[in-house]
Amino acid sequence: MKNATRKFYIFLVFFFLYAPIGVLIVNSFNQSKSRSVWGGFTLDWYSKLIHDEMILKSLATTLIVALIASIISTILGTAAAIGIFNMKKNWRSVVLDVSYLPIINPEIVTGVSLMVLFAFFALEKGYLTLILAHISFCVPYVILNVLPKLRQMDKHLIEAALDLGCDRWQAFRKITLPEIMPGVITGFLMSFTYSVDDFVISYFTHGATSQTLSVTIYSMTRKKVSPKINALSTLIFVVVLAVLIVVNIADARKYSTKKKKSSSPKKLKKILIPAVCILCAMTLVIGSVAFFTRDKDDDESKQNGSADASFEFSDSVDWNKFRNKNVVLNVYNWGEYISVDEGEEGDFDTIAQFEKLTGIDVNYSTFASNEELYAKLSTAGADAYSYDVIIPSDYMVGRLINEGMLAELDYTNIPNIEWIGEKYLDISSDSFDPGNKYSVPYTWGYVGIIYNTEMVDPEDDVETWDILWNKKYEKDILMFNNSRDAFAISLFRNGCSVNDFTEEELEDAADELKKQKPLVQSYVMDEIFDKMGGGEAALAPYYAGDAVTMMEDNEDLAFAVPKEGTNLFIDSMCIPKGSQNKEAAEMFINFMCETQTALANIEYICYSTPHMGAYKELDEDIQKDPIFYPDFEASGTVTESFEPLPNNITKKVDSLWTDIMTNTGTSPWLTPIFIVAALGITLFINIRRMRKKKQKEL
């Protein structure tokens, strides 16, 4: 009975550890994009992964940064551990506590601190800042692993070696290093693992040319994390598992089961060194293949100025103007928001086609929210000028214009602006870009209610925001996990404008959101796809383009537009002020306004297009689809586009939203007080420890 209980407990532990990995592996073979709906077995995601240059480049960046940072951290950490070990007791204790602070310190504090430090020294964010940041939090882990080995080592060995004629370097190389090698290797492996796994610090310190895999995955959360990530994660898991199996088989062959299972330095070295070698080789091979391998045809087409014959482009500008001039553009866009080649016939890779047509190289990176984009652009120092083309939403365009962060466009370099519908240019000019001086519309959409027809009473009116406050659907309602969209719904419901409102109206909207909170199952963004697709919720507000994707996975879902009004949003292409390649950036925007390009992008991302040429090329069913292209005038639905809010109102919205999410009037002093208290406790413990040591010595 006792053994059965022990085995069951062990089973539960491993089940909870590996069940998520099992689900991930299964979904890597799921034909459906939903993680909760099985669409049949497929290997398509693995095939598409091989063709996704951005994911592969992010993987290469992650592995290369991890390898370089781990090697440097291991050298620095080992040297630091030896230095700390040879210090006097009191100083050793103090220095150890300081060296372990990066481990104890919240990662977000470390990330922000490093970002500010790099900005202070005007270091442009890229590989250098990313590697330095990873070294800063990897070194303590090496110290943590090497110090115990130094304590276990017989000090007299060094003295004996010196007495026998060895110099200090020879004694270190022949005596100390072999003795501490297991700790050094373990520190290296731990550093590598944490570096690959890190998101928070990478998020604050990566640049336009150095986006890691974790940041790329995070940037997809506005829409949906691509199933290609499931395939990639499965491959990584299989490779790691294979390395462990190889190492264990090699260990089993070298040591018989009769021998005592010791952890002697020699044995550990024989086990760990092959693992490190395999890991380094794997990193270099995968990183090199993903980062440096380019299609020879692509290279030739860049040199010769030939795009794929299957795609036609206009002669609106001289596409060869910057060929062979080493021009590089940094483009910053939403995740999963541009057409890519996924290995299927007729696929259009927007970035690759532009590079072939113009000879201009493009560094393409992604963000998850307008606020993330703003944080990047508002960072002081060289990083403020890292991006050449950005694609923010309407209200953020207005904010960037008001703060003088965008360059005025020269439309003589963007003749394809003629394809953008006057209606969308008028909305842009009236709402956030007066005179259309700074932006060109890329996509548009609106917010509605997606609902499950099997869970919602057909007698209930779904064309009203009121249904999201209906107690009948308690804990079956999902809500936006962002303040602007959530407040817009509450303001519309109260009959207010989402732009021109008083503080009293804003507080009333906040009160309604507080009343709604007990009914809400979860506040979501990307999670909505699985919850609505899997029938876990009955109602949710979301973007029309994404609603279509969810409806494809679950035929029980439908979409409604509330009669009180809705937000009509426009995402636009802009050029940050200070761009070093403004004319080339305008060429990129002009290329995005090519009919073939606009059509491919809109078919890939499933939003609505303001490009009249691309609209005419769409299937008639899509043109007449009331979700993609609704007639708001005929239905009498009020639409408003977000305008930039004054700073004091923005702060008020953020404060009220925080209060809604926490249900407390959290004091802004809470975090500083907590940090000061933690430092005070640490200082008290060290002083007390030092006094005790002095008393013992006396």
Side-chain angles (χ1 to χ4, degrees):
M1 184 68 183
K2 198 172 183 180
N3 287 335
T5 304
R6 187 184 295 115
K7 288 179 180 178
F8 180 69
Y9 174 75
I10 293 172
F11 167 78
L12 284 179
V13 170
F14 280 96
F15 176 79
F16 282 111
L17 281 174
Y18 290 101
I21 297 175
V23 171
L24 182 146
I25 292 172
V26 169
N27 275 293
S28 72
F29 301 105
N30 184 4
Q31 192 168 11
S32 170
K33 288 186 176 181
S34 173
R35 292 185 287 267
S36 57
V37 178
W38 180 256
F41 182 86
T42 183
L43 293 173
D44 287 350
W45 302 119
Y46 290 88
S47 173
K48 291 176 179 180
L49 171 64
I50 296 171
H51 291 85
D52 195 316
E53 184 178 344
M54 183 178 176
I55 291 178
L56 293 179
K57 186 176 179 180
S58 299
L59 172 62
T61 299
T62 300
L63 293 176
I64 291 171
V65 167
L67 184 61
I68 295 173
S70 299
I71 291 172
I72 297 174
S73 298
T74 302
I75 295 170
L76 294 177
T78 302
I82 294 170
I84 293 170
F85 180 73
N86 288 301
M87 285 182 175
K88 293 181 179 180
K89 288 183 179 180
N90 291 342
W91 279 106
R92 184 191 305 165
S93 177
V94 173
V95 174
L96 268 177
D97 288 335
V98 172
S99 66
Y100 291 156
L101 273 178
I103 298 176
I104 303 169
N105 200 35
E107 278 202 340
I108 191 168
V109 175
T110 304
V112 171
S113 301
L114 288 167
M115 179 184 70
V116 173
L117 178 67
F118 295 145
F120 178 79
F121 287 105
L123 286 176
E124 182 176 351
K125 293 191 182 74
Y127 274 97
L128 177 60
T129 57
L130 194 59
I131 290 170
L132 289 174
H134 280 231
I135 290 171
S136 71
F137 71 80
C138 284
V139 167
Y141 291 103
V142 179
I143 297 172
L144 188 67
N145 283 279
V146 173
L147 266 177
K149 295 300 175 184
L150 286 166
R151 293 192 186 105
Q152 293 171 12
M153 188 178 67
D154 187 350
K155 296 180 182 180
H156 299 296
L157 290 174
I158 302 293
E159 295 174 3
L162 294 174
D163 290 340
L164 292 172
C166 286
D167 57 29
R168 289 285 180 184
W169 169 245
Q170 289 175 326
F172 169 76
R173 185 165 54 86
K174 293 184 177 181
I175 305 297
T176 306
L177 189 58
E179 289 289 322
I180 65 173
M181 185 57 71
V184 173
I185 295 174
T186 305
F188 171 84
L189 292 173
M190 187 176 286
S191 298
F192 186 88
T193 302
Y194 277 105
S195 181
V196 169
D197 187 57
D198 175 73
F199 163 72
V200 176
I201 292 175
S202 298
Y203 174 82
F204 287 103
T205 57
H206 81 278
T209 60
S210 59
Q211 184 161 289
T212 62
L213 186 62
S214 59
V215 177
T216 298
I217 295 172
Y218 175 72
S219 70
M220 297 176 180
T221 55
R222 186 213 189 188
K223 291 194 69 181
K224 187 177 183 181
V225 176
S226 171
K228 289 177 282 190
I229 298 301
N230 295 336
L232 176 61
S233 301
T234 300
L235 292 174
I236 292 173
F237 176 75
V238 169
V239 169
V240 172
L241 183 63
V243 170
L244 289 174
I245 291 173
V246 168
V247 171
N248 280 281
I249 290 175
D251 181 46
R253 287 180 177 177
K254 287 181 180 179
Y255 298 94
S256 66
T257 55
K258 293 180 181 179
K259 288 188 176 181
K260 186 180 178 181
K261 293 182 179 179
S262 65
S263 57
S264 64
K266 290 184 179 180
K267 180 179 178 180
L268 285 172
K269 279 192 291 179
K270 288 181 179 180
I271 297 172
L272 293 174
I273 289 176
V276 172
C277 293
I278 293 171
L279 187 63
C280 292
M282 178 189 72
T283 301
L284 290 172
V285 170
I286 296 175
S288 299
V289 169
F291 193 76
F292 296 108
T293 300
R294 289 182 178 269
D295 193 314
K296 291 183 179 179
D297 293 336
D298 288 354
D299 290 338
E300 290 177 6
S301 63
K302 282 185 183 181
Q303 294 295 327
N304 301 328
S306 58
D308 289 352
S310 55
F311 303 119
E312 296 181 0
F313 303 104
S314 71
D315 56 356
S316 57
V317 295
D318 179 9
W319 298 111
N320 292 305
K321 184 172 183 178
F322 297 102
R323 189 175 298 280
N324 300 322
K325 292 186 178 179
N326 298 320
V327 174
V328 178
L329 288 179
N330 295 321
V331 178
Y332 205 30
N333 192 8
W334 297 89
E336 293 285 285
Y337 214 48
I338 197 170
S339 179
V340 298
D341 180 6
E342 295 190 323
E344 297 179 4
E345 187 176 352
D347 278 356
F348 185 93
D349 191 316
T350 303
I351 300 301
Q353 291 300 324
F354 176 75
E355 290 180 329
K356 292 175 185 177
L357 183 64
T358 64
I360 298 172
D361 287 323
V362 175
N363 289 318
Y364 183 79
S365 54
T366 55
F367 56 87
S369 68
N370 285 295
E371 287 65 34
E372 178 184 344
L373 166 67
Y374 177 79
K376 283 285 183 183
L377 293 181
S378 59
T379 302
D383 188 56
Y385 310 112
S386 290
Y387 299 101
D388 299 295
V389 179
I390 57 174
I391 306 181
S393 299
D394 36 31
Y395 73 94
M396 186 53 66
V397 174
R399 182 176 182 179
L400 294 173
I401 291 172
N402 293 341
E403 296 186 19
M405 296 173 68
L406 295 182
E408 191 169 330
L409 300 176
D410 182 354
Y411 282 105
T412 60
N413 296 324
I414 314 175
N416 282 333
I417 186 70
E418 65 180 7
W419 289 108
I420 304 300
E422 287 294 329
K423 176 171 68 173
Y424 305 103
L425 291 173
D426 289 342
I427 292 173
S428 172
S429 182
D430 293 341
S431 300
F432 56 90
D433 183 10
N436 298 116
K437 295 180 180 180
Y438 299 92
S439 65
V440 175
Y442 174 55
T443 63
W444 68 274
Y446 61 98
V447 176
I449 297 174
I450 185 165
Y451 63 98
N452 192 312
T453 56
E454 295 295 314
M455 300 174 70
V456 174
D457 189 336
E459 298 297 320
D460 289 336
D461 185 4
V462 293
E463 294 184 354
T464 172
W465 293 118
D466 286 340
I467 198 168
L468 298 179
W469 274 258
N470 192 326
K471 293 182 179 179
K472 184 190 297 184
Y473 303 107
E474 183 176 353
K475 298 306 177 184
D476 274 331
I477 297 170
L478 304 178
M479 191 61 178
F480 274 118
N481 192 23
N482 74 71
S483 58
R484 193 74 198 264
D485 282 321
F487 271 99
I489 290 171
S490 191
L491 286 164
F492 274 127
R493 181 170 174 263
N494 289 346
C496 303
S497 166
V498 297
N499 296 307
D500 186 16
F501 50 81
T502 64
E503 286 198 28
E504 184 179 354
E505 289 172 334
L506 183 63
E507 289 174 356
D508 288 342
D511 289 339
E512 291 301 310
L513 290 172
K514 287 179 183 178
K515 293 176 184 177
Q516 183 202 34
K517 188 172 183 180
L519 309 178
V520 175
Q521 179 192 117
S522 181
Y523 292 86
V524 299
M525 291 303 290
D526 171 49
E527 303 94 325
I528 191 175
F529 289 89
D530 292 326
K531 287 184 174 291
M532 293 303 298
E536 296 177 29
L539 296 151
Y542 217 64
Y543 312 112
D546 293 321
V548 174
T549 302
M550 287 181 264
M551 290 162 67
E552 289 175 353
D553 288 329
N554 187 340
E555 60 184 12
D556 293 332
L557 298 180
F559 192 70
V561 184
K563 53 180 174 283
E564 298 97 335
T566 186
N567 164 233
L568 189 153
F569 63 84
I570 294 179
D571 292 340
S572 300
M573 296 174 284
C574 311
I575 299 175
K577 184 175 287 187
S579 167
Q580 304 301 306
N581 302 288
K582 184 173 179 291
E583 189 175 348
E586 289 166 340
M587 182 179 287
F588 181 85
I589 294 175
N590 190 64
F591 176 79
M592 295 288 277
C593 293
E594 284 284 309
T595 299
Q596 180 72 56
T597 309
L599 178 63
N601 285 333
I602 218 65
E603 288 180 335
Y604 183 85
I605 64 180
C606 294
Y607 275 62
S608 304
T609 181
H611 193 289
M612 294 297 96
Y615 173 78
K616 292 176 182 178
E617 294 291 328
L618 292 170
D619 292 340
E620 188 175 350
D621 291 343
I622 296 178
Q623 291 180 5
K624 295 181 178 180
D625 191 311
I627 297 179
F628 280 116
Y629 298 97
D631 189 344
F632 291 121
E633 293 182 6
S635 64
T637 303
V638 177
T639 61
E640 278 192 75
S641 295
F642 286 151
E643 298 175 10
L645 299 174
N647 288 336
N648 64 314
I649 297 297
T650 299
K651 291 178 180 178
K652 181 76 171 178
V653 169
D654 292 341
S655 175
L656 290 171
W657 182 248
T658 301
D659 191 37
I660 293 167
M661 290 294 98
T662 59
N663 266 337
T664 60
T666 305
S667 170
W669 291 100
L670 184 61
T671 300
I673 289 171
F674 175 79
I675 293 173
V676 171
L679 290 173
I681 292 170
T682 303
L683 185 62
F684 171 76
I685 291 171
N686 281 293
I687 291 173
R688 188 178 179 185
R689 186 187 301 166
M690 290 172 66
R691 284 180 176 176
K692 282 186 176 181
K693 285 183 179 179
K694 285 182 178 179
Q695 288 175 356
K696 286 181 180 180
E697 289 174 359
L698 294 173

